[in-house]
Amino acid sequence: MTIDTQTAATGPHTAAPEEQDNRLTGRARLVLFVLCAAQFMVALDFSVLNVALPVLGKDLGLSPSALQWAITAFALPSGGFLLLFGRIADLYGRKKLFLTGLVLFGAASLLATLAWDPASFLTGRALQGLGAAVIVPTGMSLLTTTFPEGPLRDKALGISGTLLSLGFTIGMVLGGVMTDTLGWRSTMGLLAVAAVTVLCLAPRLLPESRTPERPRLDVPGAVTVTGGLLALIYGLSTAAERGFDGTDVRVALVAGTALLAAFVVVESKAAEPLVSLPMLKRRTVAWGNIGGLVTFSMMSVVIFVLTLYLQETLHLSSFVTGLVFGVQGAASVVAGSYAPRVIGRFGARRTLVGALLGQGAFTAALLAVGPDSGALIATVAVSVASMFHLGAIISYGIIVTSGVPDEEQGLATGLVTTTQQVGLTIGIPLLGVLATTRTSLFDGVRTVLAIDAGLLIVAALLVAVGIGRRKG
């Protein structure tokens, strides 16, 4: 796969020798830096605020029960609008929409930094989420249409995946340090500065690309899938805080499921569908995304319950807990540098299956921790599990986007990023609640870890059979 003719004039892959020796030119590195910086910024936003919530609540007057909305207000639009904006970018220009998303994200971060009451802060968070929903799929589709399929794209996706995982981890560490030293507003201010920095570099470096035709936007499909994802994410995010007993949670989950079912029906009859059902019928797309969903959701659960274990059971400080996840982040960087080589040797399919098995095995190793000690075991096991997790992220992204024409790359990457966002959202409410509702937190953590490991191993076997014996 190569970039389209509109991209070729300005993109980094204009010289044949670069494709032959699979090395990135200086300009290609700059393009990759801009795209990865944007992805890193969004990943940072997912976690940087977590440890600041108690301080933030007292400052703005948010009650403890309302603190979840600081996270949910971002998660709702960031997950709900991904597919829609991925398709709009295909039709009207990926670079144009990417820049628009950066402007929106930066302005929203500034609003959240300067927030004077709960309403203004939550408005800023919601607009941040909307900006993220624009940046993530457009950035990914710019990456896959700029770097041709093969070793160059594998390398680019490897770097992007590493920074995505690292951004989430660093956010947890950085959020605590910045909140303690500069206050919670500095976490939002950092995101505003990051958005402005990327925005200054992107216009001159990034190529524009879009589909050659201009089909009509599938409005019924957009309404049903966006509404379904919004309802589903709201229900699961709220359940993480209050459980599944609330009427609003049940209504949201039923409505979300119904809307997503309606979306499938709408797409099967639409002349110009938002999602090509034949694409979803491809084994690589369907099973690749299932693998991605499982690796993201299960790792988010491990981080959640491990944080509880370290702080509530072992009574470690927030700083020491942050160091544990700092080691995990360093391990992810190492894995990201080697993952493309592993994929090049064994293929993306085998790598995905092996990575899911490895993540499951080292998640199971966490069961060796005890009620009085186990910080070292936890650090080593979660770090190695994260290395396999990183391999799964990169390999499933390659599997899903390989063989997809440029005019559908926004759709394919929209599916990839939707899988990421939904995976990050559903894991904790589905499993994490088991840890917090048991009489003994330690027993609850062990139960969750055992289920987590089992699901990963089952998913690995299903993906191996589902994708079948294909090259890569």
Side-chain angles (χ1 to χ4, degrees), residues 19 21-22 24 147-157 340 344:
E19 296 185 13
D21 60 19
N22 298 321
L24 297 175
F147 296 91
E149 189 173 328
L152 280 174
R153 184 184 295 178
D154 292 355
K155 182 183 295 185
L157 286 171

Side-chain angles (χ1 to χ4, degrees), residues 67-308:
L67 281 179
Q68 62 142 334
W69 281 102
I71 305 301
T72 303
F74 177 85
L76 277 171
S78 68
F81 288 95
L82 278 168
L83 278 177
L84 175 60
F85 285 126
R87 189 55 174 162
I88 291 175
D90 281 344
L91 301 180
Y92 301 106
R94 294 159 185 144
K95 175 182 176 181
K96 184 187 304 181
L97 206 63
F98 181 78
L99 297 177
T100 302
L102 286 172
V103 171
L104 177 59
F105 187 90
S109 298
L110 182 60
L111 174 60
T113 303
L114 303 175
W116 53 93
D117 59 15
S120 59
F121 175 73
L122 294 178
T123 299
R125 289 292 287 163
L127 291 175
Q128 275 184 323
L130 195 62
V134 178
I135 293 168
V136 172
T138 53
M140 281 291 289
S141 57
L142 280 168
L143 187 150
T144 55
T145 54
T146 299
F147 296 91
E149 189 173 328
L152 280 174
R153 184 184 295 178
D154 292 355
K155 182 183 295 185
L157 286 171
I159 296 171
S160 177
T162 300
L163 290 177
L164 179 70
S165 178
L166 190 60
F168 185 83
T169 304
I170 286 180
M172 298 178 65
V173 180
L174 196 60
V177 173
M178 294 185 70
T179 300
D180 287 344
T181 57
L182 301 174
W184 70 266
R185 294 179 188 274
S186 64
T187 63
M188 296 292 97
L190 174 66
L191 297 171
V193 172
V196 171
T197 302
V198 176
L199 189 60
C200 290
L201 297 173
R204 299 176 66 90
L205 289 171
L206 297 182
E208 181 59 283
S209 65
R210 63 173 65 89
T211 57
E213 300 85 14
R214 289 291 187 91
R216 291 178 301 173
L217 183 65
D218 175 21
V219 176
V223 171
T224 50
V225 72
T226 301
L229 288 172
L230 286 172
L232 189 65
I233 293 170
Y234 169 82
L236 291 173
S237 298
T238 306
E241 299 294 328
R242 305 202 315 255
F244 290 90
D245 294 332
T247 301
D248 59 335
V249 172
R250 294 175 179 176
V251 169
L253 293 177
V254 171
T257 303
L259 284 168
L260 292 178
F263 170 68
V264 175
V265 175
V266 168
E267 297 305 277
S268 67
K269 298 179 179 179
E272 297 173 339
L274 179 67
V275 172
S276 169
L277 292 184
M279 175 184 285
L280 291 179
K281 291 178 181 178
R282 294 177 184 172
R283 290 185 295 174
T284 53
V285 173
W287 288 102
N289 274 300
I290 288 173
L293 181 70
V294 172
T295 191
F296 269 103
S297 58
M298 293 302 99
M299 182 52 70
S300 69
V301 170
V302 167
I303 292 174
F304 175 74
V305 299
L306 196 58
T307 301
L308 293 177

